[in-house]
């Protein structure tokens, strides 16, 4: 039951299924949040462990999003419902996990092949056994057929059918518990032997939450407010982290702006919109160059921060200077990847100076800056082909590359990479293009995913060995090869042995559940 708060602050009880979009729900301390929504009133800490795996409660107040199924701790919250049923975050996650459990790793093909062979072996050896004990070394029809049946029972590839699916099922649920969603098992499978992890900067290694630190005006006829007003009018339409920061800053300064018309985004560069009859352009130097606006060196000497230039028609009005923060876990992520023997590259559309500063702080091996979205794909391709900077052609070989990103501009590279890893807080296209999604947006989970991949691989191989290996002894025993030593496998013992191998395979897979990532 949920408490629906009506318009007139009258609270009525309804069942969760009856909730619809726009309803106001009162969530009391200790209650479950009944649906996805936005807090409109109150403050509380919410335990989101079931979605993110993070046990530390998250503080929620007006404007924050809450997820259906999470538990409200100490305060009371009024929540406006935004998503219910199949649309909700939880339903989406369940769907993703289901889909992932249906995707088959490549090693499954090996298991299927082995199963085919075992079936052929079962028939051939079974027939052979009968022929030997009936015609060549006549021991009677009953003896010959008993042995033949035992052989077929033993060889039947039961355990082999269980070997891989038992592991992948446990792997995907273990991953989900740790805030890692596997969308395609093949992606996780390759993750164990990566040569390169390529990380997008903004939103991945950094928080992607920019703050405006300075505004420089170039044109004497303009004030800071005017500049911000025009920029916000255009950025209102954009999903970019920089755009959000600019709109936020305008709102904070209580500047009223009307959204620009005929908005057009230029990924990796900036955007254009019309305010009245005037064309307003925001973006980096490349954007200004594209529309024929000259940027004077005197405007700003900023090196290590991001600059968004603002122009009206062909005239540069000024620049907004923004700063982002490196995520606290980023440095450790790079170190851990190095410890696993993986090289780390950073890829960004941002300025060289900003990128190199961040790259140096984190200790990444290579920095690719001022890269347009289409070029991002090419860099992934180059790395895959082994065309690494400064290496002679001879020592180049194909490499396995993972790409980690969050933005629209990362989507093509996520698809191109052997393993695409999307940051959970990122855009939907990025998530759609990725094999793995990090719900917590914590880059350290990349390392966890790789560790899980390696553990999963070992388990799969162990299981394949258990499922096929026992045949090496059991088949000859069943066929009566050891009969001269008085060893004969009776059919019921054969059946028991076969079941035992299935049980061993399942039990071995279950041990994966206890793994700490
Ligand atoms: P990243 O690869 O770091 O995620 P993007 O490719 O999204 O970066 O953007 C690269 C650069 O393009 C930004 O640093 C910014 O200078 C410019 N840019 C892109 N979109 C916008 C926008 N909407 N407003 C202002 N600048 C933008
Ligand atoms: Mg990005």
């Amino acid at each position: 039951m949920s408490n629906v708060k009506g318009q007139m602050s009258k609270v009525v009880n309804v069942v969760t299924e009856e909730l619809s979009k726009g309803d106001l729900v009162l969530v009391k301390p200790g209650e479950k949040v009944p649906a996805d929504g936005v807090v409109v009133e109150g403050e509380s800490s919410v335990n989101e462990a079931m979605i993110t795996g993070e046990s530390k409660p998250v503080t929620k107040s007006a404007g924050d999003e809450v997820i259906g199924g999470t538990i409200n701790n100490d305060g009371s919250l009024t929540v406006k419902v935004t998503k219910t049923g199949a649309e909700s975050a939880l339903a989406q996650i369940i769907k993703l996990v289901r889909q992932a459990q249906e995707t088959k790793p490549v090693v499954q093909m090996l298991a299927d092949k082995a199963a085919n062979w075992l079936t052929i072996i079962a028939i051939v050896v079974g027939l052979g056994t009968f022929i030997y004990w009936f015609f060549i070394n006549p021991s009677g029809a009953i003896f010959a057929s008993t042995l033949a049946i035992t052989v077929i029972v033993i060889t039947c590839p039961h355990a082999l059918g269980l070997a891989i699916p038992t592991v992948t099922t446990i792997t995907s649920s273990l991953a989900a518990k740790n805030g890692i969603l596997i969308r395609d098992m093949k992606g996780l499978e390759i993750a164990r032997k990566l040569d390169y992890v390529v990380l997008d900067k903004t939103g991945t290694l950094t928080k992607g939450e920019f703050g405006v630190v300075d505004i420089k005006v170039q044109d004497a006829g303009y004030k800071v407010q005017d500049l911000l007003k025009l920029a916000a009018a255009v950025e209102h339409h954009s999903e970019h982290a920089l755009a959000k920061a600019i709109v936020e800053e305008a709102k904070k300064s209580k500047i009223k702006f009307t959204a620009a018309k005929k908005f057009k985004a230029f990924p990796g560069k900036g955007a254009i919109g019309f305010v009245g009859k005037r064309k307003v352009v925001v973006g980096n130097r490349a954007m200004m160059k594209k529309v024929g606006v000259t940027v004077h060196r005197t405007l700003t000497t900023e090196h290590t921060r991001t600059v968004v230039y603002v122009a009206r028609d062909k005239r540069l009005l000024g620049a907004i200077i923004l700063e982002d923060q490196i995520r606290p876990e980023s440095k450790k992520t790079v170190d851990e990847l190095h410890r696993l023997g993986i090289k780390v590259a950073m890829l960004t559309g941002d300025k060289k100076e900003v990128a190199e500063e961040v790259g140096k702080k984190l200790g990444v091996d290579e920095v690719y800056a001022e890269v347009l979205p289409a070029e991002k794909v090419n860099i992934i391709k180059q790395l895959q082909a082994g065309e690494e900077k400064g290496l002679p052609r001879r020592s180049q070989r194909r490499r396995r590359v993972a790409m980690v990103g969050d933005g629209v501009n990362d989507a093509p590279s996520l698809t191109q990479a052997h393993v695409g890893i999307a940051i959970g807080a990122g855009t939907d296209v990025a998530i759609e293009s990725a094999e793995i999604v990090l719900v917590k947006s914590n880059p350290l989970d990349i390392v966890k995913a790789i560790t899980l991949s390696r553990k999963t691989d070992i388990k799969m191989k162990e299981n394949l060995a258990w499922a096929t290996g026992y045949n090496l002894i059991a088949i000859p025993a069943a066929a009566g090869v050891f009969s001269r030593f008085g060893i004969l496998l009776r059919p019921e013992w054969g059946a028991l042995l076969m079941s035992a191998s299935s049980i061993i395979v399942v039990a071995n897979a279950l041990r994966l559940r206890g793994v700490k990532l």
Side-chain angles (χ1 to χ4, degrees):
M1 292 292 256
S2 321
N3 309 309
V4 173
K5 196 171 170 182
Q7 289 305 94
M8 307 305 293
S9 75
K10 199 179 105 195
V11 179
V12 285
N13 281 328
V14 296
V15 285
T16 311
E17 287 75 38
E18 282 173 11
L19 284 177
S20 50
K21 251 186 231 171
D23 283 348
L24 288 176
V25 184
L26 181 67
V27 188
K28 292 181 193 152
E31 283 185 346
K32 247 187 202 158
V33 179
D36 293 3
V38 182
V39 177
V40 287
E41 214 187 303
E43 198 180 308
S44 182
S45 65
V46 174
N47 185 341
E48 298 193 325
M50 58 159 317
I51 299 284
T52 61
E54 175 68 61
S55 54
K56 219 167 63 198
V58 193
T59 316
K60 301 279 177 180
S61 57
D64 290 337
E65 285 178 12
V66 286
I67 307 165
T70 55
I71 293 164
N72 180 23
N73 279 348
D74 40 16
S76 137
L77 296 169
T78 307
V79 175
K80 187 170 180 176
V81 176
T82 52
K83 281 177 200 150
T84 57
E87 274 191 333
S88 69
L90 189 58
Q92 294 287 336
I93 290 176
I94 292 170
K95 202 173 103 193
L96 281 179
V97 173
R98 279 230 181 96
Q99 279 173 355
Q101 289 178 338
E102 279 162 19
T103 63
K104 287 183 185 158
V106 180
V107 55
Q108 179 72 55
M109 273 172 18
L110 187 72
D112 291 345
K113 251 191 218 151
N116 275 340
W117 275 107
L118 273 182
T119 314
I120 295 169
I121 289 172
I123 295 165
V124 171
V125 179
L127 269 172
T129 304
F130 183 83
I131 292 167
Y132 181 82
W133 292 111
F134 192 70
F135 295 110
I136 301 172
N137 188 356
S139 313
I142 294 188
F143 184 79
S145 45
T146 307
L147 257 58
I149 288 167
T150 312
V151 165
I152 292 172
V153 166
I154 284 270
T155 324
C156 173
H158 233 149
L160 206 51
L162 290 170
I164 307 297
T166 44
V167 177
T168 55
T169 309
I170 291 170
T171 295
S172 48
S173 50
L174 181 67
K177 253 187 227 151
N178 282 279
I180 302 164
L181 292 183
I182 302 166
R183 297 191 64 231
D184 191 334
M185 261 303 156
K186 288 189 193 72
L188 188 83
E189 198 178 20
I190 312 172
R192 76 175 196 277
K193 43 186 182 181
L194 287 172
D195 299 298
Y196 259 94
V197 170
V198 183
L199 297 139
D200 165 56
K201 180 181 74 72
T202 322
T204 302
L205 286 172
T206 68
K207 289 187 176 162
E209 295 163 4
F210 286 89
V212 173
V213 284
D214 199 6
I215 298 178
K216 296 246 196 281
V217 184
Q218 157 108 4
D219 196 302
Y222 277 84
K223 286 204 285 288
V224 166
Q225 284 88 335
D226 304 325
L227 194 78
L228 204 50
K229 188 172 172 171
L230 287 177
V234 177
E235 298 286 30
H236 170 78
H237 297 281
S238 168
E239 92 301 336
H240 203 276
L242 287 170
K244 279 189 197 144
I246 290 172
V247 171
E248 205 49 46
E249 183 68 18
K251 283 186 180 156
K252 234 178 19 202
S253 322
K254 303 244 171 342
I255 294 172
K256 286 212 170 63
F257 61 88
T258 40
K261 300 255 153 45
K262 289 196 260 177
F263 170 83
K264 191 165 173 2
F266 295 85
K269 289 187 178 141
I272 295 181
F274 282 81
V275 178
K277 285 207 168 66
R278 307 296 197 144
K279 182 161 98 177
V280 178
V281 189
V282 291
N284 52 19
R285 270 175 190 273
M287 185 74 219
M288 295 298 134
K289 201 168 161 203
K290 185 181 168 65
V291 292
V293 173
T294 1
V295 176
H296 302 287
R297 294 206 171 274
T298 48
L299 178 62
T300 165
T301 50
E302 254 325 312
H303 275 309
T304 52
R305 289 188 282 202
T306 306
V307 181
V308 173
Y309 297 98
V310 184
R312 206 193 66 175
D313 294 330
K314 296 257 168 200
R315 218 181 148 100
L316 186 72
L317 303 182
I320 302 171
I321 292 143
L322 302 104
E323 195 171 41
D324 194 4
Q325 280 173 344
I326 296 177
R327 287 187 197 271
E329 308 89 359
S330 295
K331 175 83 177 85
K332 189 156 180 231
T333 305
V334 176
D335 292 346
E336 291 277 307
L337 287 173
H338 281 154
R339 198 178 51 81
L340 292 174
I342 299 167
K343 284 205 160 193
V344 184
M346 188 175 87
L347 196 54
T348 178
D350 210 347
K351 272 194 314 189
K352 228 191 183 87
E353 292 86 349
V354 184
E356 259 154 24
E357 169 93 3
V358 174
K360 213 163 53 202
K361 273 191 191 148
L362 297 178
V364 304
D365 303 296
E366 277 153 50
V367 174
Y368 300 89
E370 294 172 30
V371 188
L372 291 177
E375 294 168 1
K376 280 194 174 183
V377 181
N378 283 333
I379 287 173
I380 301 285
K381 281 187 191 157
Q382 275 170 29
L383 286 172
Q384 286 174 327
E387 289 162 24
E388 195 185 339
K389 279 193 229 170
L391 263 187
R393 255 216 161 334
R394 267 181 300 113
S395 57
Q396 297 179 348
R397 61 169 182 94
R398 285 196 62 79
R399 295 195 164 80
R400 293 197 188 78
V401 178
M403 164 82 196
V404 192
D406 67 315
V408 181
N409 56 348
D410 299 319
S413 340
L414 289 173
T415 316
Q416 171 63 35
H418 290 98
V419 192
I421 304 176
I423 293 288
T427 49
D428 293 345
V429 249
I431 291 170
E432 284 293 317
S433 316
E435 275 94 17
I436 298 173
V437 182
L438 308 180
V439 180
K440 277 181 278 184
S441 306
N442 179 350
L444 258 182
D445 287 345
I446 302 165
V447 181
K448 280 193 182 177
I450 295 171
T451 312
L452 180 64
S453 166
R454 294 187 176 180
K455 298 227 150 118
T456 303
D457 181 62
I458 294 172
K459 270 279 166 273
M460 287 185 188
K461 289 192 176 138
E462 278 174 9
N463 265 3
L464 285 183
W466 275 114
T468 52
Y470 87 109
N471 289 311
L472 289 181
I473 301 171
I475 296 175
V481 172
F482 309 126
S483 65
R484 78 188 78 157
F485 310 114
I487 301 174
L488 254 185
L489 203 57
R490 297 170 57 88
E492 57 269 34
W493 281 100
L496 197 68
L497 210 59
M498 195 202 67
S499 313
S501 89
S502 297
I503 291 168
I504 290 174
V505 161
V506 174
N508 188 42
L510 282 173
R511 284 204 357 237
L512 195 59
R513 279 202 305 197
V515 165
K516 249 196 101 45
L517 291 177

